[in-house]
Amino acid sequence: MTAAHSDSGEITCVLVANRGEIARRVFATCRRMGLGTVAVYSDADADAPHVTEADAAVRLPGNTPGETYLRGDLIIEAAFAAGADAIHPGYGFLSENAEFARAVLAAGLTWTGPPVEAIEQMGSKVASKKMMDAAGVPVLSELDPSEVTEAQLPVLIKASAGGGGRGMRVVRALADLAPQIAAARREAESAFGDPTVFCERYLETGRHIEVQVMADTHGVILAVGERECSIQRRHQKVVEEAPSPLVERVDGMRERLFEAARLAAGAIGYTGAGTVEFLADEAGDFFFLEMNTRLQVEHPVTECTTGTDLVRWQLEVAAGGALPAEAPAPSGHSIEVRLYAEDPATEWQPQSGTVRRIEIPQVVTEFGLLEKPGVRLDSGVVDGSVVGVHYDPMLAKVISYGETRSEAARLLATALRRARIHGLVTNRDLLVRVLGHPAFLAGDTDTAFFTTHGLDALAAPLVSETDEALSIVAAALAEAAANRRTARVGGGVPSGWRNLPAQSQRKSYETRDGTIHEVGYRFDRGGAVTVDGHDGLALIEAAPERVVLSVPGERGPVRRQFAIARYDDLVCVDSALGPVAVRRLPRFSDPSDQVATGSLLAPMPGSVIRIGAEVGSTVTQGQPILWLEAMKMEHTIAAPAAGVLSALNVSVGQQVDIGTVLAVVDPEEASVNAESTTAVSTTAIQEN
């Protein structure tokens, strides 16, 4: 659709008031439309891909969102400095901030978003529910936190001014209500500048269904397909798809959903892109949750199934253009997953550091439409990008499109399994397991998916213990080949070769869970290798970056190829068996690297925001000692064992690096063998 522009003036240059993948996504459409682009960036983002891709970039001094991307005044000044005539808010940060939208319009710039009044009306979750109820949209009734009774449990605490799961808590006992409300208010104030929270009845299971709406200034309101986003962790979406499997099988549900969504948009005079979110049950009944007055993270699945560029529509509507009279007919199926730098096996702990490599195979397009089966990549990082502690740790969105749902799931799972993602722990293995799970393939997805099917099982590594050991053998042989390549003397002689029989050469590696693998191997005069504990294993080829092994089996040997990459002491091995990342251990350890038993180590860089115990006090296992704030999340650092807090090395407001010894708990006699560790509980949630 190409809209005709009105007298409001044509857009020529767009500043995106956001960062990372969000900014890159909008820039991609701007380039396709021939529009200029302007980026804004914090000091931490000075070398980020979205900065280098823009036609112009303006620095926002500082690192934290409050200093940079939440400073609407600085962003408007940046637009004037770089010559932009329109501002696109992206999603997150100021995208649903009515005051920012008002300031953009007052400055004479084009606002690529809905009317200020619509943002204000939907900005309060409390007020919006009352408005939708009055308009005839089904809602879950609001509960006053001070009046919640035992009979109403469990309840869900939500931030009135926010979204994306931040400030959200499930409470199952009245004794927990007051402290959880206090924590939710802190998060809401930090994220949105408004501590208001409310409660509603919590449905243990349900389907999260949302409808993409687009409206113009000429009276057209379109429902551009629905999405299902039921698989969530901590109320934040992990897997999204279009169309919804539930809506597909419940007669008449799509028509009722679309009518409710159009009714909601019409009730507030909406224009632009928005999303009306509902919670549905298996019978097809649904309740209004909220309306997001912005583009959603998961909009690509709607684009792929309808053939529309929603960002283009946003820009054209903002310039006064008209939408088509009817929404495009959907076809095929699209699935999106959010690839995060986080460890699902340790309470979704976010990771920070350098992305050494991110290579997704089968990618047909980046930030573009898929017209035939394939994979789309919307990424905020490239090789060498640094994931810091100030922002959401999402690396990329990986999206597939297929003629059928099963084809889309298979394409996406295969691309993720074969991806080379080095440098950080990610949720990739979990995503692959979800996409291949029988319940997911049957369309049986709800908000309790991880609880129902076991997070431990879903977060388990793709590679088996046996295949992990084989991959580590390949790493050792690749390292031996690398040593030969750089040897000044005898480079053509196999590594570890001796004229007379001798002991095996040994290399040691440590896996993420702390398991030590020692690989012993011997080369004979012909270059053949014998690997301790791997009878029948034969070496076909060994190079520093590639090893081919013949692996014995009950039905005969199978040839396996391994790709190896080394970054200092990090070794990454990729194969069809699954990805493996290990740390190469030195032959001799440095005594200064040892830490005392009971030490609590910082799991990531962050800022100390609270202290929960004093030096000399007796603590119990799991008792909170202090709280760190990093990556928009609040992390509780707890005692690894019962004992006495003998040292507290930090104070409130102090910045710490990963691995810093925060405190020391001298364990009780029964726990004297406890390892130096940190028990971490992550309670706050990243943006949607």
Side-chain angles (χ1 to χ4, degrees):
M1 186 275 294
T2 300
H5 291 112
S6 73
D7 294 337
S8 61
E10 186 174 358
I11 294 172
T12 62
C13 184
V14 180
L15 180 147
V16 179
N18 224 293
R19 63 179 297 277
E21 170 266 327
I22 303 168
R24 296 185 77 195
R25 166 66 191 93
V26 179
F27 289 162
T29 288
C30 289
R31 286 193 295 270
R32 288 192 286 265
M33 296 176 68
L35 304 179
T37 56
V38 177
V40 288
Y41 64 93
S42 67
D43 291 338
D45 279 341
D47 298 320
H50 80 275
V51 178
T52 60
E53 288 179 356
D55 296 328
V58 179
R59 174 179 176 244
L60 304 176
N63 288 311
T64 68
E67 296 171 318
T68 57
Y69 299 108
L70 292 176
R71 286 286 303 275
D73 57 336
L74 296 182
I75 291 172
I76 291 172
E77 283 300 317
F80 285 119
D85 50 26
I87 290 182
H88 192 297
Y91 27 98
F93 292 137
L94 293 172
S95 62
E96 294 180 284
N97 186 299
E99 288 303 314
F100 177 59
R102 184 177 284 111
V104 170
L105 294 169
L109 299 167
T110 298
W111 168 247
T112 310
V116 173
E117 295 76 14
I119 300 175
E120 289 176 328
Q121 290 171 318
M122 292 296 101
S124 168
K125 301 299 184 288
V126 176
S128 65
K129 283 199 169 186
K130 293 178 180 177
M131 184 179 297
M132 292 300 104
D133 191 21
V137 180
V139 302
L140 283 173
S141 60
E142 174 200 346
L143 302 174
D144 187 326
S146 64
E147 299 177 358
V148 172
T149 66
E150 190 80 36
Q152 292 172 319
L153 297 176
V155 296
L156 183 65
I157 304 170
K158 299 180 73 174
S160 179
R166 282 178 290 170
M168 196 175 288
R169 299 282 197 284
V170 177
V171 178
R172 306 180 189 279
L174 280 180
D176 297 332
L177 187 60
Q180 292 289 357
I181 285 176
R185 283 174 174 158
R186 285 196 304 271
E187 292 172 15
E189 173 69 29
S190 175
F192 313 114
D194 183 350
T196 306
V197 300
F198 68 98
C199 295
E200 66 186 19
R201 182 166 58 98
Y202 179 62
L203 303 182
E204 294 284 0
T205 61
R207 301 286 191 120
H208 188 116
I209 312 293
E210 59 188 35
V211 179
Q212 176 71 59
V213 294
M214 284 293 307
D216 62 21
T217 57
H218 307 281
V220 176
I221 302 175
L222 302 178
V224 196
E226 88 283 346
R227 301 184 285 258
E228 180 158 340
C229 314
S230 299
I231 298 182
Q232 303 179 8
R233 57 104 165 97
R234 293 193 176 122
H235 312 290
Q236 188 175 30
K237 303 159 189 173
V238 177
V239 181
E240 302 110 344
E241 58 182 310
S244 159
L246 175 66
V247 175
E248 287 279 272
R249 65 174 177 243
V250 176
D251 290 340
M253 184 178 179
R254 179 169 289 118
E255 290 74 15
R256 291 187 289 115
L257 270 173
F258 285 7
E259 178 60 27
R262 287 190 292 263
L263 191 62
I268 59 172
Y270 200 81
T271 60
T275 305
V276 187
E277 303 197 358
F278 301 93
L279 187 65
D281 61 24
E282 293 298 321
D285 294 325
F286 53 85
F287 305 92
F288 174 85
L289 287 175
E290 61 184 352
M291 182 174 184
N292 289 300
T293 53
R294 55 176 168 82
L295 200 63
Q296 291 280 88
V297 177
E298 57 275 16
H299 75 273
V301 297
T302 298
E303 292 186 322
C304 289
T305 52
T306 61
T308 58
D309 183 333
L310 294 175
V311 174
R312 183 185 185 97
W313 275 12
Q314 282 187 294
L315 292 166
E316 291 180 332
V317 166
L323 292 167
E326 295 183 1
S331 64
H333 201 97
S334 182
I335 303 174
E336 171 183 300
V337 294
R338 303 188 189 188
L339 181 65
Y340 274 101
E342 67 181 8
D343 187 357
T346 57
E347 299 192 28
W348 309 96
Q349 182 179 317
Q351 310 289 303
S352 61
T354 302
V355 179
R356 300 291 190 171
R357 176 181 290 184
I358 179 166
E359 181 183 300
I360 313 292
Q362 300 170 277
V363 169
V364 176
T365 182
E366 294 188 29
F367 305 105
L369 300 179
L370 288 170
E371 299 177 352
K372 58 183 179 180
V375 174
R376 163 178 167 174
L377 179 66
D378 287 17
S379 177
V381 300
V382 295
D383 293 359
S385 292
V386 175
V387 178
V389 300
H390 302 291
Y391 317 114
D392 188 282
M394 189 174 78
L395 302 179
K397 302 180 311 195
V398 190
I399 308 106
S400 66
Y401 172 74
E403 295 181 0
T404 64
R405 185 172 184 269
S406 59
E407 182 181 38
R410 185 172 60 250
L411 279 170
L412 188 52
T414 300
L416 288 167
R417 177 183 283 273
R418 294 177 179 174
R420 302 189 71 182
I421 307 167
H422 301 164
L424 293 173
V425 176
T426 73
N427 64 339
R428 181 257 300 272
D429 290 13
L430 171 100
L431 298 175
V432 174
R433 288 195 180 278
V434 168
L435 292 169
H437 196 281
F440 177 83
L441 295 175
D444 296 333
T445 58
D446 58 36
T447 53
F449 191 90
F450 291 131
T451 301
T452 301
H453 302 291
L455 179 59
D456 289 347
L458 291 169
L462 291 174
V463 67
S464 68
E465 290 184 5
T466 299
D467 292 338
E468 180 181 66
L470 192 64
S471 297
I472 295 173
V473 168
L477 297 177
E479 183 180 351
N483 292 339
R484 285 298 87 203
R485 178 175 289 181
T486 58
R488 294 185 178 182
V489 178
V493 179
S495 175
W497 182 86
R498 297 292 184 272
N499 191 41
L500 298 173
Q503 291 184 337
S504 298
Q505 294 292 300
R506 299 198 173 276
K507 291 181 172 59
S508 298
Y509 301 87
E510 183 180 17
T511 61
R512 199 173 74 196
D513 63 4
T515 302
I516 306 298
H517 288 255
E518 189 173 85
V519 180
Y521 61 91
R522 298 186 307 278
F523 283 95
D524 64 19
R525 297 188 180 207
V529 68
T530 299
V531 181
D532 297 350
H534 292 269
D535 295 341
L537 186 69
L539 176 62
I540 305 300
E541 178 185 337
E545 295 81 28
R546 181 172 183 266
V547 168
V548 182
L549 299 174
S550 176
V551 183
E554 293 183 2
R555 295 175 178 265
V558 176
R559 183 172 292 193
R560 297 284 185 186
Q561 301 182 42
F562 302 85
I564 297 92
R566 286 174 295 280
Y567 314 93
D568 299 324
D569 63 350
L570 173 66
V571 184
C572 299
V573 185
D574 294 289
S575 74
L577 300 174
V580 172
V582 293
R583 185 171 67 93
R584 171 73 161 95
L585 297 178
R587 295 183 64 185
F588 305 103
S589 61
D590 188 339
S592 65
D593 293 336
Q594 303 301 312
V595 296
T597 298
S599 294
L600 280 70
L601 309 180
M604 66 197 71
S607 175
V608 179
I609 58 174
R610 281 198 293 157
I611 301 291
E614 298 179 352
V615 173
S617 60
T618 300
V619 297
T620 58
Q621 183 176 8
Q623 177 180 333
I625 304 299
L626 56 90
W627 286 260
L628 284 179
E629 185 175 59
M631 292 182 170
K632 299 185 180 180
M633 305 173 76
E634 187 176 290
H635 310 274
T636 303
I637 309 300
V644 175
L645 184 62
S646 62
L648 185 61
N649 304 327
V650 294
S651 57
V652 173
Q654 182 175 339
Q655 294 286 328
V656 298
D657 293 325
I658 187 170
T660 298
V661 179
L662 305 171
V664 179
V665 174
D666 287 339
E668 294 176 343
E669 195 67 33
S671 303
V672 75
N673 291 324
E675 296 290 337
S676 301
T677 186
T678 301
V680 183
S681 175
T682 304
T683 55
I685 307 301
Q686 303 107 311
E687 71 187 56
N688 191 23

